[in-house]
Amino acid sequence: NKMIPHGEQAGKSASCQGCPNQNLCASGATKAPDPAIAEIGEKLSSVKHKILVLSGKGGVGKSTFSAHLAHALASDSTKEVALLDVDICGPSIPRIMGLEGEQVHQSGSGWSPVYVDDNLAVMSIGFLLSSPDDAVIWRGPKKNGMIKQFLKDVDWGELDYLIVDTPPGTSDEHLSIVQYLSSTPVDGAVIITTPQEVSLQDVRKEIRFCQKVKLPIIGVVENMSGFVCPKCKNTSQIFPPSSGGAEKMCRDLNLPLLGKVPLDPRIAQSCDEGKSFLNQVPDSPAAKVYQNVVQSIQDYCLNRATEVQSAT
Amino acid sequence: MVSKRSVDSKAQQERQKQQMARGLPKQKPIAGVKQVIVVASGKGGVGKSTTAVNLALALMANDQSKSAGLLDVDVYGPSVPRLMNLKGNPELSDDNRMVPLTNYGVPCMSMGFLVEDASPIVWRGLMVMSAVERLLRQVDWGSLDYLVVDMPPGTGDVQLSVTQNIPIAGAVIVSTPQDIALLDAHRGAEMFKKVNVPVLGLVQNMSVFQCPNCQHQTHIFGSDGARQLADTLGISFLGDIPLHLNIREMSDKGQPVVVSCPDSTLVRYLISQSHGSI
């Protein structure tokens, strides 16, 4: 972004006038890399695969997808899975995972995440609030501090998969998570969208963001793609793909479309109840699409691992 | 009789309050704008922008003598340009303020007019703060009875910057019936309480879907949750908005439903609701 002064220009350009950060940037203190980044790289070296779930648009089903991806991967009891919720202002993960009201405990080796099952751990700011309805009205720098702590101080242990659920946008949380994970390999990002142009508009920005920060994109999932009336089985496009939906966008941008998940009222219900939709209604067309998407993601991660191994 | 100690501690509290307020921006009204109404949620994707657009239009349709403007402060995902079918860079007025783009009689300003369509705004909170201040102070609105402000999801930098900088007549909170959405809407309402912005009420969007083939109604995202939350929080329930084909199809085309289907029962309902709450 040519608009933002950086490097030698940081804090010294005309557009830096009046910014509260100006003195800090001009002093050169921001040029030195944050030692926490190396620490985090160390700490997460025991995590085999890291997957970010992003969108750009709000309310498309990122948290729903992240939670069910975690459930699906953890259904293999030999795999250790963790879900990290970095949506500081609107943490939905505790509710969706049925862990509302749980608290985080501190031990000698750091913060202990909350366990859904023996092999499925969760961390979210939701667990640090005194009440699930508490508003977290924080500016960026405070949110960044929290995300740093989640990565540095949580005792994740050895993990096969770490899934990170993000809030909408391309802001502090996204920059921080990419920055703090910069010294450790990240498999890639799964991008969630709905079929409308209003969503795709924001999602294209998110895709550009990934390209800018060199975050590989595993693929795109189109959520809320069609609704089958339970009574007459007629399919309606509730969120019409007026500009070709995710299919056209993926063709245009040369990205894999991992799946199109139809609307099913039971998904919202399961989330509200904190249960896994994949367990509750495994025969639903939506559940089947989810399972296919999860399989594609697993294949991608394994392929990357083999590539990396053969390259070294 | 008031004891000396209680007077002292009260005076101390006042002093503390004043000291804490020193670092904060002074609240100043936007030149030319009589009343500011924010449309917010806390949760993303519930229909804030769609509601804000149709609210601005409904306010004018309800009373032809009133003028309404629309300010989109969602810096990361500005939807207003598409919803209002507006494109282009704003011109500058003689005193160097940005001139809003107008469609359907509503002057609009959005980050979407200032950046290229597919370019992400990859900014940290501090830069967003200065952008929001520009959008608030450096727009030549002329004289408006209402300015509807479309907020982004969350309870962070943008929300704080807007509520700290300008006086707000009231906030309309939008949610879907799902518990997950209501949790965030609750947080949104709490935030407004903390910053002393009156909450005009709660709108329940995407309340129900009617199959076009057999008219069977399905509550895809749950039902009635928003009504209950409004009760719990002691705020007005402003009504249900169903997943109506017209709203969804017209949104991408940039033809807000209040304009494209002014005679529909849905629109008359929206107009009456807006009149009731303001």
Side-chain angles (χ1 to χ4, degrees):
Chain A
N1 193 328
K2 289 182 223 136
M3 284 177 7
I4 303 181
H6 52 269
E8 281 305 316
Q9 283 297 309
K12 298 179 187 144
S13 134
S15 54
C16 294
Q17 291 297 327
C19 173
N21 234 18
Q22 190 182 7
N23 286 336
L24 192 57
C25 286
S27 72
T30 48
K31 273 199 277 192
D34 189 338
I37 297 182
E39 265 182 77
I40 291 171
E42 254 305 309
K43 190 93 192 235
L44 297 182
S45 57
S46 56
V47 177
K48 292 206 186 81
H49 300 288
K50 301 175 205 71
I51 301 163
L52 305 189
V53 180
L54 303 169
S55 179
K57 184 90 181 89
V60 296
K62 287 177 292 307
S63 298
T64 306
F65 180 77
S66 306
H68 288 87
L69 175 60
H71 275 301
L73 292 170
S75 63
D76 177 350
S77 56
T78 65
K79 297 280 190 274
E80 293 289 327
V81 181
L83 177 56
L84 170 60
D85 177 11
V86 297
D87 188 342
I88 308 286
C89 296
S92 305
I93 294 292
R95 184 58 182 266
I96 300 180
M97 300 297 280
L99 298 173
E100 229 174 17
E102 293 286 338
Q103 298 282 309
V104 163
H105 302 286
Q106 228 178 345
S107 74
S109 47
W111 291 2
S112 171
V114 180
Y115 283 86
V116 176
D117 280 320
D118 281 337
N119 66 335
L120 178 50
V122 180
M123 178 53 75
S124 163
I125 199 174
F127 300 135
L128 303 170
L129 303 172
S130 49
S131 146
D133 304 327
D134 276 352
V136 182
I137 317 170
W138 290 359
R139 286 198 180 275
K142 209 160 169 194
K143 290 195 256 188
N144 299 337
M146 188 85 259
I147 294 176
K148 196 198 299 202
Q149 277 197 288
F150 279 157
L151 293 170
K152 206 163 64 85
D153 297 335
V154 172
D155 183 21
W156 296 109
E158 299 245 346
L159 290 177
D160 291 280
Y161 296 100
L162 173 63
I163 302 160
V164 184
D165 181 30
T166 62
T170 47
S171 177
D172 287 89
E173 296 89 332
H174 310 86
L175 281 166
S176 292
I177 204 79
V178 166
Q179 253 180 353
Y180 290 132
L181 290 179
S182 56
S183 67
T184 172
V186 175
D187 291 66
V190 177
I191 312 261
I192 314 285
T193 183
T194 53
Q196 318 126 289
E197 177 55 27
V198 170
S199 296
L200 296 171
Q201 220 182 1
D202 291 347
V203 168
R204 285 190 201 100
K205 292 183 212 261
E206 197 74 17
I207 292 173
R208 280 249 196 137
F209 166 76
C210 291
Q211 290 162 346
K212 264 193 184 171
V213 299
K214 302 205 182 9
L215 179 61
I217 296 177
I218 303 177
V220 177
V221 175
E222 184 182 79
N223 231 355
M224 308 200 203
S225 185
F227 174 68
V228 177
C229 177
K231 189 161 171 234
C232 70
K233 306 298 176 213
N234 179 51
T235 307
S236 301
Q237 291 298 330
I238 300 214
F239 300 108
S242 58
S243 57
E247 232 175 296
K248 178 158 192 304
M249 180 185 74
C250 285
R251 265 202 316 266
D252 291 342
L253 299 176
N254 199 19
L255 290 171
L257 178 60
L258 299 176
K260 287 160 68 152
V261 185
L263 268 167
D264 185 334
R266 296 170 297 181
I267 303 185
Q269 209 179 353
S270 298
C271 288
D272 280 357
E273 289 170 6
K275 305 204 177 103
S276 165
F277 168 70
L278 302 170
N279 276 342
Q280 301 288 100
V281 274
D283 295 324
S284 137
K288 298 205 182 108
V289 175
Y290 259 82
Q291 295 287 11
N292 283 339
V293 173
V294 172
Q295 187 62 53
S296 306
I297 296 174
Q298 271 178 302
D299 291 341
Y300 174 94
C301 288
L302 289 172
N303 281 339
R304 249 182 82 93
T306 345
E307 270 173 24
V308 168
Q309 257 194 335
S310 54
T312 47
Chain B
M1 188 181 95
V2 177
S3 81
K4 183 171 188 300
R5 201 167 293 166
S6 71
V7 166
D8 274 351
S9 75
K10 242 201 134 197
Q12 198 180 43
Q13 272 181 7
E14 258 311 301
R15 253 205 316 270
Q16 266 186 343
K17 234 173 116 180
Q18 280 177 8
Q19 273 204 319
M20 297 212 19
R22 267 209 310 229
L24 295 176
K26 297 264 179 302
Q27 233 187 36
K28 211 177 64 161
I30 301 177
V33 172
K34 288 208 186 84
Q35 287 191 308
V36 174
I37 302 161
V38 305
V39 178
S41 177
K43 184 90 183 83
V46 293
K48 288 177 291 308
S49 300
T50 309
T51 303
V53 161
N54 286 295
L55 179 61
L57 290 162
L59 284 169
M60 296 206 337
N62 181 58
D63 184 347
Q64 307 270 342
S65 68
K66 297 277 195 259
S67 54
L70 184 56
L71 174 60
D72 176 8
V73 292
D74 188 341
V75 161
Y76 303 108
S79 304
V80 163
R82 158 118 346 222
L83 294 174
M84 290 292 280
N85 199 17
L86 281 170
K87 247 191 188 149
N89 297 118
E91 293 182 358
L92 289 178
S93 66
D94 291 332
D95 58 351
N96 234 6
R97 285 188 296 166
M98 295 186 280
V99 177
L101 277 68
T102 304
N103 199 359
Y104 310 118
V106 178
C108 305
M109 185 48 68
S110 163
M111 199 68 200
F113 300 140
L114 304 175
V115 292
E116 198 195 288
D117 232 2
S119 278
I121 300 284
V122 186
W123 288 357
R124 286 194 180 276
L126 287 171
M127 277 210 62
V128 173
M129 251 170 71
S130 14
V132 169
E133 275 170 35
R134 264 189 80 191
L135 289 172
L136 286 175
R137 296 282 172 221
Q138 311 231 314
V139 177
D140 185 6
W141 293 108
S143 166
L144 287 178
D145 290 290
Y146 303 107
L147 180 62
V148 178
V149 179
D150 178 22
M151 300 278 240
T155 51
D157 287 276
V158 173
Q159 286 76 8
L160 280 169
S161 290
V162 172
T163 51
Q164 284 168 347
N165 267 293
I166 54 170
I168 298 174
V172 172
I173 302 195
V174 182
S175 179
T176 54
Q178 241 188 314
D179 284 348
I180 301 282
L182 294 170
L183 265 178
D184 286 347
H186 188 156
R187 292 190 186 104
E190 211 195 294
M191 173 190 68
F192 285 122
K193 208 166 118 187
K194 279 204 171 140
V195 296
N196 294 323
V197 171
V199 175
L200 297 175
L202 187 59
V203 172
Q204 180 161 261
N205 210 8
M206 308 198 204
S207 55
V208 71
F209 176 68
Q210 183 164 304
C211 176
N213 192 38
C214 70
Q215 271 63 50
H216 175 77
Q217 295 200 329
T218 310
H219 293 278
I220 303 190
F221 301 109
S223 66
D224 257 6
R227 206 181 285 264
Q228 289 161 17
L229 179 64
D231 266 339
T232 314
L233 296 177
I235 57 181
S236 311
F237 178 68
L238 295 178
D240 288 316
I241 305 179
L243 277 160
H244 202 277
L245 180 66
N246 286 336
I247 306 182
R248 292 145 29 218
E249 277 196 341
M250 296 303 165
S251 283
D252 275 358
K253 292 201 189 135
Q255 288 174 9
V257 68
V258 169
V259 167
S260 58
C261 318
D263 290 329
S264 74
T265 10
L266 171 68
V267 170
R268 277 185 265 134
Y269 169 81
L270 283 173
I271 293 178
S272 67
Q273 291 296 329
S274 69
H275 182 232
S277 62
I278 309 298

